Amino acid sequence: MDREGKYVKLGYDAEGHGTMVAGIAAANGKIEGIAPDAQLLPIKIINSAGTASLNNLNLALRTAAERGAKIAVVSMGQARVSDSERRILSEQAANLW
């Protein structure tokens, strides 16, 4: 996503993790995912170095909510999350409901 949230640039899933998670959620073929009729709105926030900023995650969650998403699957690790970061993420998650 650009920093202003004006457009989404499609990226390459270098590790295949996002593709795998999407398949678990919405595969609809010989193997079915948890929700085979789901519509996906993939938003990549991790850069080529494998890192992401909290700002990019917030922007992605806000964009998803604005586009009508009711569920967000965020599959990434974080060593430490501060209380303020936890509060910000909780607020963004609440916007999806």
Side-chain angles (χ1 to χ4, degrees):
M1 300 184 75
D2 77 329
R3 295 198 184 279
E4 297 172 0
K6 292 183 179 175
Y7 66 88
V8 175
K9 180 175 152 183
L10 296 177
Y12 174 68
D13 187 4
E15 301 296 324
H17 180 77
T19 302
M20 178 192 68
V21 172
I24 291 169
N28 190 357
K30 288 184 180 181
I31 298 173
E32 284 194 350
I34 295 167
D37 293 324
Q39 294 181 8
L40 300 178
L41 174 62
I43 302 175
K44 183 178 178 114
I45 64 165
I46 296 176
N47 63 24
S48 61
T51 62
S53 69
L54 180 61
N55 185 53
N56 281 353
L57 177 56
N58 283 331
L59 181 58
L61 291 173
R62 184 172 57 241
T63 300
E66 288 170 355
R67 294 183 182 185
K70 301 297 180 201
I71 297 171
V73 177
V74 179
S75 181
M76 54 191 286
Q78 173 69 25
R80 285 175 249 144
V81 178
S82 70
D83 289 340
S84 63
E85 291 171 329
R86 189 178 321 279
R87 180 184 52 75
I88 291 167
L89 290 171
S90 293
E91 289 171 3
Q92 288 296 348
N95 288 335
L96 293 170
W97 298 103

